[in-house]
Amino acid sequence: MNDKPHPPRTPPSARRDFRLLLSGAVAAQAGTQVTLVALPLVAVLELDATPFQVGLLTAAETAAFLLVGLPAGAWLDRMRKLPVLVRADLLRCLAVGSIPVAGVLDALTLVQLYLVALVTGVATVFFDVAHQSYLPVLLPREQLIAGNGAIETVRSSAQIAGPGLGGGLVQLLGAPLAIVADAFGYLASAVLLSRIRAHEPQPRTEPGRSLREDVAEGVRFVVGHPLLRVIATATAASNLFSAVLMAVQTVFWVRVLDLSPAAIGVLLSVSAVGGLAGAVCAGPLARRIGQGRLIWLAPLVTGPFALLWPLADGGAGAVLFAVGGVVVLFGAVAYNVAQVSFRQSLCPPELLGRMNATMRFLVWGTLPLGALIGGTVADTAGPRAALWVCAVGTLVVPVPLLLSPLRGMRDLPSGPWAEPVPDPEAGSGPDAGPASAGVPERTDPEAAEDARTVH
């Protein structure tokens, strides 16, 4: 059944089904963050993997966005989203659970790690696209910023607690057995999501319409929209260089900074504080400076702190790395809340799956390439050189945003038919010119404030 009607200012956390969605995110993210520490440590410590092999593992985790990213959206627009979420969690539970079993039997290999990464990657594609497309089923458009802020708060909170727990479990049980926590997290998420009762109508499809036509419509919507196009470009660049970091950071910590698994978990947990702060502050910042401004200011102000990563050395190396992570992650999460809410509010409901899948294909499709670049550079010139590639590349990320109409906007309208709202302080000129856009012009104060306490 549907949730009971709520007054417009009721925060998302007052809705039972939204709380279940958040609880599922808590369970899944807690386990995922343990594996974030444990999986590369399995490769480095248990299987003595080279930097390139670790990069290949990262590439395998994200290759699914290139393989099935576009058709996934078209398929999802033809089916209910909630059953997909539950099945994807169960598949990830089984795949990840095979690693500790193989570890106990002393049969674990890099090939199995690659296969698990590919399977969980495919399931994650469907889960993430369905998740972003399902949120508007549970919340009205004016609460999407608060809802996305809450989801990012959960994700960031898990990034604080999970890696520390993961590092401790690796230290205590070994890397393969520590991954049991991830399998249980996915199982708990599936159980919680299965209890959601909100009515989700079966999407209607045009008879005789092909999958290729559906995919093409989603691509045209994203590529043909000037603001979605530039957001996709900037986010793709950000993910490219983030993948370089993900591919080499564990090798750098273990073989250059000589950190223990427990210390690595603490380092990741400390860095994740920035993500939590970004999720908490995204709503208030969007109200204070404008959602349009937040999208380009966040990466512009925080990106230079990525230079601290390759500078990390000696006894203070871990501290420098953590400071860089705190600030960069703050900007990344604040940016993400703003631009994802914009996309959800802009897009017609019947196109949400294809729009999100097209965006994911474009912006996550760079992850395998970045991981391979990171692994190759680390293999030939060392992990510190790969971190310099990441840091310098991060400085370039806001350039497309600064050259777009976003720089002349403060607020963004709430539908694809509306013209963008120019920033009155920006004056006239090319950056203040019209381009269709769409996000709430104002955020419900109570809904946005709720993002401070929930993921």
Side-chain angles (χ1 to χ4, degrees):
M1 65 174 68
N2 285 320
D3 288 336
K4 294 180 180 180
H6 292 266
R9 291 182 177 273
T10 300
S13 58
R15 299 171 180 266
R16 171 189 177 276
D17 288 337
F18 183 72
R19 291 197 302 271
L20 286 171
L21 188 75
L22 281 177
S23 300
V26 170
Q29 283 296 320
T32 297
Q33 294 306 315
V34 171
T35 297
L36 178 68
V37 178
L39 190 61
L41 285 175
V42 170
V44 173
L45 299 178
E46 304 287 333
L47 302 176
D48 199 27
T50 67
F52 179 77
Q53 289 171 327
V54 177
L56 192 60
L57 178 61
T58 303
E61 291 179 279
T62 55
F65 288 96
L66 284 176
L67 298 176
V68 298
L70 285 177
W75 286 324
L76 284 168
D77 276 339
R78 299 179 177 201
M79 61 183 72
R80 293 186 176 93
K81 311 299 184 293
L82 185 58
V84 175
L85 294 173
V86 174
R87 292 166 191 160
D89 268 339
L90 292 175
L91 180 58
R92 292 191 290 187
C93 171
L94 292 174
V96 170
S98 71
I99 293 177
V101 172
V104 169
L105 298 176
D106 198 24
L108 191 61
T109 65
L110 275 172
V111 172
Q112 180 179 350
L113 293 188
Y114 294 145
L115 289 174
V116 169
L118 283 170
V119 170
T120 56
V122 170
T124 297
V125 168
F126 283 91
F127 184 91
D128 284 356
V129 173
H131 198 272
Q132 288 190 347
S133 304
Y134 187 62
L135 187 62
V137 174
L138 301 182
L139 297 178
R141 286 179 182 259
E142 66 270 14
Q143 291 190 343
L144 287 176
I145 288 182
N148 281 307
I151 290 170
E152 287 296 339
T153 303
V154 166
R155 192 189 315 275
S156 300
S157 299
Q159 288 173 346
I160 293 174
L165 174 63
L169 289 175
V170 170
Q171 197 93 27
L172 182 65
L173 303 174
L177 286 179
I179 295 177
V180 169
D182 198 5
F184 278 116
Y186 287 134
L187 180 60
S189 175
V191 171
L192 289 163
L193 292 174
S194 67
R195 297 181 59 208
I196 292 177
R197 299 197 301 258
H199 174 66
E200 182 185 3
Q202 176 67 38
R204 284 181 283 182
T205 57
E206 297 179 24
R209 188 174 175 87
S210 70
L211 186 66
R212 179 180 297 180
E213 289 174 316
D214 282 347
V215 170
E217 186 177 6
V219 172
R220 283 195 302 270
F221 182 82
V222 171
V223 176
H225 194 286
L227 297 187
L228 288 182
R229 189 168 60 239
V230 76
I231 286 172
T233 301
T235 310
S238 176
N239 285 341
L240 175 72
F241 297 111
S242 294
V244 174
L245 174 68
M246 290 188 293
V248 302
Q249 62 183 10
T250 300
V251 176
F252 182 77
W253 294 333
V254 171
R255 296 177 182 168
V256 177
L257 297 185
D258 196 28
L259 298 180
S260 68
I264 290 172
V266 171
L267 173 60
L268 285 169
S269 293
V270 171
S271 299
V273 171
L276 177 60
V280 169
C281 294
L285 282 173
R287 294 197 311 275
R288 186 174 183 84
I289 66 174
Q291 191 172 3
R293 285 178 180 169
L294 181 58
I295 288 175
W296 60 265
L297 267 175
L300 178 67
V301 173
T302 62
F305 284 83
L307 295 170
L308 294 178
W309 294 330
L311 292 173
D313 203 0
V319 175
L320 277 180
F321 211 103
V323 170
V326 167
V327 179
V328 173
L329 200 54
F330 175 94
V333 171
Y335 165 84
N336 201 47
V337 170
Q339 63 93 7
V340 169
S341 300
F342 169 51
R343 287 157 39 190
Q344 290 170 332
S345 181
L346 167 74
C347 186
E350 66 273 11
L351 265 175
L352 270 172
R354 282 167 285 172
M355 180 276 291
N356 283 321
T358 301
M359 288 293 291
R360 283 298 175 106
F361 174 79
L362 295 173
V363 306
W364 287 66
T366 58
L367 288 172
L369 176 60
L372 292 176
I373 291 172
T376 301
V377 173
D379 242 4
T380 56
R384 192 183 301 277
L387 290 178
W388 276 114
V389 172
C390 168
V392 173
T394 301
L395 299 179
V396 180
V397 168
V399 172
L401 301 170
L402 293 172
L403 297 176
S404 78
L406 274 170
R407 194 164 65 86
M409 300 177 193
R410 185 188 187 281
D411 298 305
L412 300 167
S414 57
W417 54 87
E419 292 295 321
V421 180
D423 182 358
E425 301 174 14
S428 58
D431 290 321
S436 62
V439 135
E441 291 181 337
R442 300 185 339 166
T443 303
D444 180 346
E446 291 182 22
E449 285 296 321
D450 184 56
R452 299 186 179 188
T453 55
V454 202
H455 158 179

